[in-house]
Amino acid sequence: MLFIMRSRRWIKKLVIGLLWLALWHITYKLVDRALYVPSITSVMKALLGLIIDVRFWQIIAASVYRVLAGLFLSLVFGVSIGVLCGLNGLLFDFINPFVKAIRATPVISFIIIALIWFKSTNVPIFISFLMCFPIIWTNVVSGIRNIDVKLIEMAKVYQLKRSLIIRKIYLPHIKPFFTAGVIMALGLGWKVSVAAEVLSHPQYAIGSNLHSAKAYLDTPLLFAWTIVVILLSFIFESFFALWAKESRKTL
Amino acid sequence: MNLSIKNIHKSYGELKVLEDFNLELDKSRIHCFFGPSGCGKTTLMHVMAGILKPDSGQIIMSSDVRFSYIFQEERLLPWMTVKENVALVLQEKAPAYVERKVLESLSLVELSDFSQYYPSALSGGMRQRVSIARAFAYEGDVLAMDEPFKGLHLKLKQNLMDAIYKYWVLHKPFTYFITHDIDDALYIADDIYILDGPPMKIIEKINIEVPHELRKTNPELLMDYKMRLSGIR
């Protein structure tokens, strides 16, 4: 029974997917200019051409590394500074305008300044860090502030050490806030990192290839690379969602 | 060691909960704060344990006192099992000691079979007993209990009170508790302070001179006290 229901859901998904492909095809026919809207077959051919090339996988690895490195930095700083800001109002007041400023600044401004500061390969790392950090930080701070003060009172009466209070009470408490932050940051991190690659041209990078596809007016290739970015983003999010679900079980 | 509460003042905004409150508690007796809700009992207990700072006045007792505190709410960590919640307050100790203490305390509150459960899977009364087990395991110099038997049915309550008394005989902590229930008060207290407020004042102090061992077997000995307490109410 369950199997039938599952396969039904699959069929539904498949039909919806096919409908969208049909819409793409109709648009392609209506526009009738492959430069603007390429055909499905040409994009698939471009995609296939990509994945059989070893270089493609090196490029993917390099881009994935950049996003993860940026995300990792934002986790390290976002959690540590977030916890401190959640506990200390003065520090929060000090950091908050800085984070607000980052949020309000267009990504492109940061990319341009990062191009001056860093080597091309490090620019996307910095950018994805800078964009993810406010998300993680904000979620961690609101998690800390949301804590039940009665639990903290209890911990203090029983003279638990501060480090223990943080490890056993604050960190488990902020976990759901943290998880939500990471999921959001993953999605954003990908996009800004690729955008930064377009401008900084590292030797191995999805963004650099998007840029050259545009330079050669190779629309199918542009679409193919974009599909790659979307797929990778999906894969990461579902991996993380799975991990979050698993860790919730042990909670 | 005695405990002196000297000239304590504590207000919440306009509301004066404690106003020049004084009390001397004898370590060798079990004290009960008895009075209507909202009269300031919990505030007093919080001040005594250092959870709340008084506006003025002082609590005089030997320094570095460890509190086994049973709060009005159970205050358990939802992401830890019953066992882990109790073990949490024993972090500095050796693992073997922790294991033994935790199991011992859980068996005192009749929750040995639930050590692997999470608080969310337990009833309110069971959670309250976990918090009592936590207080036992900690073995503080002070056993402070804020309505520890709230929401527990009679039989269990009596077993718990027996457990608390046994614990008290064994460890002789400085013990005081809050209750609204006359029978609870009469069952384990030596000194009952009848309170009213706010601002909180002591209306009467009743010394119960019936030995603990007789209170269960000869409840008629408590009858006079019971009359007095219910009269005041």
Side-chain angles (χ1 to χ4, degrees), chain A residues 20-239:
Chain A
W20 279 108
L21 284 178
L23 269 174
W24 176 0
H25 189 69
I26 292 166
T27 317
Y28 159 71
K29 284 284 179 203
L30 286 176
V31 173
D32 200 24
R33 302 266 312 260
L35 182 63
Y36 294 153
V37 180
S39 72
I40 296 172
T41 45
S42 66
V43 172
M44 288 305 144
K45 227 182 267 168
L47 196 58
L48 204 68
L50 282 178
I51 57 178
I52 54 168
D53 189 351
V54 186
R55 230 181 90 88
F56 170 79
W57 298 102
Q58 290 168 332
I59 290 164
I60 297 284
S63 283
V64 167
Y65 157 74
R66 287 190 198 96
V67 177
L68 290 185
L71 188 70
F72 176 74
L73 289 175
S74 74
L75 292 183
V76 171
F77 288 98
V79 172
S80 55
I81 299 175
V83 168
L84 293 176
C85 288
L87 296 174
N88 185 323
L90 198 66
L91 192 64
F92 173 84
D93 290 337
F94 178 68
I95 301 286
N96 193 34
F98 172 69
V99 173
K100 272 192 172 157
I102 297 178
R103 290 204 140 160
T105 309
V107 191
I108 196 74
S109 307
F110 282 126
I111 296 177
I112 291 167
I113 192 75
L115 284 171
I116 300 170
W117 287 354
F118 299 106
K119 272 198 330 204
S120 69
T121 183
N122 291 333
V123 172
I125 298 178
F126 176 72
I127 294 301
S128 91
F129 159 68
L130 209 58
M131 292 295 108
C132 296
F133 170 77
I135 299 175
I136 305 289
W137 181 85
T138 310
N139 277 37
V140 169
V141 168
S142 60
I144 294 274
R145 292 195 161 176
N146 191 275
I147 201 155
D148 183 357
V149 287
K150 290 185 164 177
L151 290 180
I152 304 303
E153 260 176 30
M154 181 278 293
K156 284 187 175 156
V157 167
Y158 281 102
Q159 299 182 343
L160 300 193
K161 280 195 179 148
R162 208 173 161 74
S163 61
L164 196 71
I165 295 179
I166 290 180
R167 267 191 304 127
K168 299 280 179 172
I169 304 181
Y170 279 109
L171 291 185
H173 171 76
I174 61 170
K175 210 166 163 187
F177 295 84
F178 169 79
T179 315
V182 173
I183 289 176
M184 257 199 284
L186 263 177
L188 187 72
W190 262 110
K191 279 181 273 190
V192 296
S193 179
V194 170
E197 286 175 351
V198 169
L199 291 173
S200 71
H201 296 289
Q203 197 189 352
Y204 291 97
I206 295 174
S208 311
N209 284 278
L210 278 172
H211 182 81
S212 50
K214 179 227 135 201
Y216 298 118
L217 298 178
D218 192 343
T219 324
L221 195 61
L222 190 67
F223 270 58
W225 277 112
T226 306
I227 288 171
V228 169
V229 175
I230 294 170
L231 284 179
L232 282 173
S233 180
F234 273 153
I235 290 169
F236 271 94
E237 267 176 52
S238 40
F239 260 121

Side-chain angles (χ1 to χ4, degrees), chain B residues 9-28:
Chain B
H9 290 256
K10 178 73 198 174
S11 307
Y12 296 111
E14 290 291 289
L15 182 69
K16 288 179 175 145
V17 181
L18 300 173
E19 194 177 23
D20 197 19
F21 188 81
N22 291 279
L23 185 62
E24 189 87 22
L25 297 175
D26 177 354
K27 182 187 177 1
S28 59

Side-chain angles (χ1 to χ4, degrees), chain B residues 121-182:
Chain B
L122 305 178
S123 71
M126 289 163 102
R127 287 201 289 268
Q128 182 65 7
R129 276 143 69 199
V130 177
S131 87
I132 295 174
R134 178 172 63 193
F136 283 168
Y138 188 64
E139 292 184 350
D141 310 305
V142 176
L143 179 61
M145 303 179 278
D146 193 347
E147 295 193 52
F149 314 117
K150 198 183 45 183
L152 300 175
H153 62 82
L154 200 66
K155 181 77 195 111
L156 188 64
K157 196 155 86 173
Q158 227 169 40
N159 292 351
L160 270 180
M161 286 194 283
D162 289 340
I164 287 174
Y165 183 68
K166 234 193 303 180
Y167 173 87
W168 182 78
V169 171
L170 209 63
H171 302 281
K172 289 287 171 159
F174 202 135
T175 302
Y176 50 87
F177 69 103
I178 291 175
T179 188
H180 292 288
D181 189 303
I182 295 174

Side-chain angles (χ1 to χ4, degrees), chain B residues 52-91:
Chain B
L52 268 180
K53 268 206 165 60
D55 299 335
S56 64
Q58 56 188 136
I59 307 287
I60 302 165
M61 63 201 309
S62 58
S63 59
D64 233 10
V65 177
R66 296 163 70 250
F67 279 82
S68 278
Y69 203 118
I70 300 167
F71 294 90
Q72 223 175 85
E73 323 80 13
E74 56 274 350
R75 303 200 186 189
L76 304 175
L77 303 180
W79 46 81
M80 285 188 179
T81 61
V82 165
K83 197 173 167 181
E84 290 165 341
N85 261 291
V86 178
L88 179 73
V89 298
L90 300 172
Q91 288 298 321

